[in-house]
Amino acid sequence: MKKKVAFVCVHNSCRSQMAEAWAKHLGKDVLEAYSAGTSKYPEVKPKAVQVMEEVGIDMSKHYPKLLSDIPEKIDILITMGCGVICPYIPCDYSEDWGLKILLAAL
């Protein structure tokens, strides 16, 4: 059974979308990946789509989603270090990937 992982940010327009796309690409055999935001945003940022396209990952059909658009129960919840305070989301494990962690990975 695949683990459900959700990447949550404020607008679900860049970092969380990219994290979802990477998780689907790298973990497709073991993960169901989702992303969502706490506030509405009109589009995924075009630069994020472009950068992912450059590494061979297509995000052209991605769109910003809200927390209500993902499953109610998540196994792993990752917040993206953007200061978002999420309402309670049932999960087995959660952590915050602050910008320092993301930059260190580069």
Side-chain angles (χ1 to χ4, degrees):
M1 181 170 210
K2 293 182 180 183
K3 295 282 186 182
K4 293 179 185 172
V5 60
F7 301 93
V8 176
C9 202
V10 175
H11 293 128
N12 190 225
S13 63
C14 189
R15 287 175 284 169
S16 54
Q17 289 281 351
M18 294 171 80
E20 175 191 3
W22 274 115
K24 285 181 174 178
H25 179 75
L26 297 172
K28 63 184 169 236
D29 296 332
V30 295
L31 298 173
E32 286 181 31
Y34 303 91
S35 67
T38 57
S39 299
K40 286 187 177 186
Y41 200 78
E43 65 180 353
V44 174
K45 293 187 177 176
K47 192 70 167 172
V49 175
Q50 177 188 344
V51 166
M52 294 301 282
E53 186 176 289
E54 290 173 6
V55 296
I57 297 175
D58 181 13
M59 285 186 16
S60 62
K61 294 190 177 14
H62 282 223
Y63 60 93
K65 297 168 290 297
L66 293 172
L67 293 174
S68 59
D69 297 320
I70 64 174
E72 288 183 23
K73 173 68 169 78
I74 296 294
D75 296 300
I76 304 164
L77 173 66
I78 305 295
T79 52
M80 302 303 296
C82 48
V84 64
I85 298 175
C86 295
Y88 176 72
I89 299 173
C91 63
D92 297 329
Y93 177 81
S94 68
E95 69 178 53
D96 184 68
W97 285 2
L99 288 177
K100 290 179 185 176
I101 291 172
L102 294 174
L103 293 175
L106 298 175

